[in-house]
Amino acid sequence: MRAERISLCMIVKDEEELLPHCLASVQGAVDEIIVVDTGSSDRSAEIAQQYGAVVVGFEWCEDFAAARNAGLERASGDWILFLDADEALDRAAREQIRSWTTVSGCDGLFLNIHNYTGTGQQGVTVNPVLRLFRNAPEHRFEGRIHEQIAGAICRRNPEAAFHVTDMVIHHYGYQTAIVERKDKVNRNVRLLQQAVEEEPGQPFHHYNLGVEYLRVGEAERALETFGVARMGIDPAVTSYAHLLFKYEVRCLQHLNRWQEALNRIDAALELFPEYTDLMHHRGVCADALGDADQAEYSLREAVRMGPPPPIYHTEEGIGTYQTWYTLGRLLEGRADLEGAVDAYVEAVRAKSSLLPPLYRIFRIMRVSGQEHQIPELVRSALRSVRKRLHTKYWAFWSNLVVMMRLCNCYRLYPHNLPQR
């Protein structure tokens, strides 16, 4: 079977800092690189050429789809992979991508975008996005911003098939320093407002505008905008409907409208019963409303469900360590200290580098006079953690020593535990 060729298509402007990491991540994974430069004043074009890219000059016209399509016009591969300069293909995906394109009978493949926000240390959100599709003249992007390709693919082939893969793209563009440097929010709001004026009946524009308002803390304005989007969609067939509901819930939580948030969650769960994020937030809302029993039930149900299926946007730790930690805080507030410690231990088992649950465990045991039990607890936790990767084991061990010091429990340091 002939190996099908893959073309990477990108658009860039003044990306000399991030571009090398992106292009290095696709070496060996793609057969050609097309970089559309929309007016860089730095070394972006030169760097792209050093990695073997064909650089296409393009006069920026406030339209991301037009810029992307300029790259597609030059692509000769059987498949198109599109990335931005602030992204990188995961190492495992680099090794898997040709297998997917060779054996896949699909028209497009979804990859999981791991978005790093804030300082990059707060964990990630995970969003499945159509990033790899068959090259055809009819396949062209649409939309001034947050441009989409699925509509064109489905018009060409109403029976088009898509598949969600386990391949990962790392996205660093919404870390605080990058957002501020590139003034991304203001740019996005300006283009989305323009898109809304041009196509007021397009709910996707309203949805994306709501996301930008929420990003800067304008919860009331975001909620209103999400409402417009929701009135224009059929949730059963709209790919972002589950996320629209979750963002509305986040707005209501931000506004302390907890009962409305809970009502919205219950309505959304009827449509998306497997969406763990909603069940987790149900627990948070119930706790805020003073219904501790319902909160505990919802959080335990979220843990039972585990992370949602890959078709859903989620946050790292939902259904695992985030939910266990939230449950631990709830139980601690109810004076169920044994239950809280159990939940915190589960959080640490799910992610061994976490500091907050370790701190809570040692604090509970110290103030309740159970310091003598800490060494055995440490040994038990280490037995499960050390079965994992070596680096994760030592991350846990280092954090453990820090927590014992902070909690004045260092005199109980179990000296017979492994030394590095």
Side-chain angles (χ1 to χ4, degrees):
M1 181 180 295
R2 180 181 72 87
E4 297 190 312
R5 299 178 69 252
I6 303 173
S7 299
L8 169 66
C9 293
M10 304 179 61
I11 55 177
V12 305
K13 181 180 180 181
D14 295 333
E15 297 285 5
E16 65 178 4
E17 180 181 349
L18 298 171
L19 189 56
H21 184 218
C22 176
L23 295 178
S25 77
V26 299
Q27 295 302 295
V30 301
D31 299 285
E32 70 174 355
I33 302 173
I34 311 294
V35 172
V36 175
D37 191 304
T38 62
S40 295
S41 58
D42 64 2
R43 297 178 56 250
S44 292
E46 179 185 343
I47 291 169
Q49 290 170 341
Q50 290 173 356
Y51 281 87
V54 173
V55 178
V56 178
F58 182 84
E59 184 176 350
W60 178 242
C61 58
E62 301 281 286
D63 189 325
F64 281 92
R68 291 220 186 268
N69 290 336
L72 297 186
E73 294 292 339
R74 299 290 296 271
S76 62
D78 302 289
W79 288 81
I80 303 293
L81 169 69
F82 69 99
L83 297 174
D84 291 325
D86 55 14
E87 298 175 332
L89 191 65
D90 185 76
R91 181 179 301 177
R94 186 170 65 214
E95 297 171 356
Q96 298 167 3
I97 192 169
R98 289 190 182 277
S99 297
W100 277 107
T101 56
T102 299
V103 303
S104 173
C106 296
D107 297 85
L109 296 169
F110 284 70
L111 281 71
N112 293 293
I113 311 298
H114 284 205
N115 298 289
Y116 301 86
T117 59
T119 63
Q121 304 300 315
Q122 288 83 5
V124 302
T125 61
V126 182
N127 197 18
V129 178
L130 178 59
R131 285 302 191 90
L132 191 60
F133 59 91
R134 293 187 183 276
N135 189 10
E138 299 87 351
H139 293 174
R140 293 297 181 263
F141 286 94
E142 300 166 340
R144 182 178 295 278
I145 184 171
H146 298 301
E147 59 282 5
Q148 301 291 299
I149 193 68
I153 294 174
C154 291
R155 277 195 300 274
R156 177 176 181 263
N157 176 17
E159 303 299 321
F162 302 92
H163 187 79
V164 179
T165 75
D166 59 359
M167 293 188 289
V168 171
I169 294 171
H170 301 283
H171 177 221
Y172 306 98
Y174 280 105
Q175 293 184 30
T176 302
I178 297 175
V179 170
E180 292 177 350
R181 183 172 72 248
K182 292 185 172 294
D183 196 24
K184 279 191 172 184
V185 174
N186 287 332
R187 178 205 67 188
N188 290 355
V189 168
R190 184 184 72 253
L191 291 178
L192 285 166
Q193 288 174 337
Q194 186 174 346
V196 166
E197 290 180 5
E198 294 169 348
E199 298 179 289
Q202 173 53 263
F204 190 58
H205 298 327
H206 294 278
Y207 160 74
N208 284 309
L209 186 56
V211 171
E212 298 301 333
Y213 290 149
L214 181 58
R215 196 190 307 280
V216 296
E218 295 186 31
E220 192 73 61
R221 196 175 186 185
L223 184 62
E224 179 182 349
T225 307
F226 287 138
V228 175
R230 180 162 46 84
M231 294 300 292
I233 67 168
D234 178 353
V237 298
T238 303
S239 63
Y240 58 89
H242 68 283
L243 189 51
L244 171 57
F245 276 96
K246 186 171 80 167
Y247 281 157
E248 285 188 307
V249 168
R250 286 179 54 186
C251 290
L252 291 166
Q253 290 174 326
H254 186 81
L255 296 167
N256 294 318
R257 291 158 59 177
W258 298 101
Q259 187 60 57
E260 290 179 67
L262 188 59
N263 294 342
R264 191 65 50 85
I265 289 171
D266 287 341
L269 281 170
E270 292 185 10
L271 294 167
F272 311 109
E274 297 179 304
Y275 194 17
T276 311
D277 295 53
L278 293 173
M279 187 61 70
H280 174 100
H281 282 285
R282 192 176 192 279
V284 173
C285 292
D287 184 30
L289 290 166
D291 191 343
D293 289 339
Q294 192 58 241
E296 181 178 351
Y297 169 82
S298 297
L299 292 170
R300 290 195 183 278
E301 182 65 10
V303 167
R304 185 197 65 76
M305 293 166 66
I311 60 171
Y312 292 111
H313 175 287
T314 189
E315 299 164 37
E316 183 186 52
I318 292 292
T320 58
Y321 69 82
Q322 272 202 58
T323 308
W324 277 119
Y325 181 71
T326 304
L327 178 60
R329 292 305 302 266
L330 172 71
L331 295 174
E332 190 176 349
R334 301 182 75 179
D336 181 359
L337 300 185
E338 183 178 353
V341 169
D342 288 344
Y344 293 142
V345 168
E346 292 298 332
V348 173
R349 284 176 176 162
K351 186 169 184 178
S352 57
S353 60
L354 288 178
L355 290 175
L358 282 173
Y359 174 81
R360 306 304 303 182
I361 290 170
F362 288 160
R363 181 181 180 278
I364 288 172
M365 300 190 78
R366 182 169 62 84
V367 300
S368 61
Q370 302 178 66
E371 291 175 274
H372 62 282
Q373 296 184 21
I374 290 179
E376 181 53 38
L377 176 68
V378 169
R379 291 187 185 95
S380 175
L382 283 175
R383 277 195 293 271
S384 71
V385 173
R386 71 184 301 180
K387 294 177 184 177
R388 304 176 194 172
L389 294 177
H390 185 70
T391 53
K392 289 187 176 181
Y393 165 66
W394 285 109
F396 173 87
W397 176 241
S398 299
N399 289 335
L400 185 64
V401 172
V402 170
M403 289 298 100
M404 294 181 76
R405 286 171 173 166
L406 289 175
C407 296
N408 297 319
C409 299
Y410 197 61
R411 61 187 176 80
L412 296 172
Y413 170 82
H415 294 281
N416 59 329
L417 287 173
Q419 304 295 311
R420 186 154 191 171

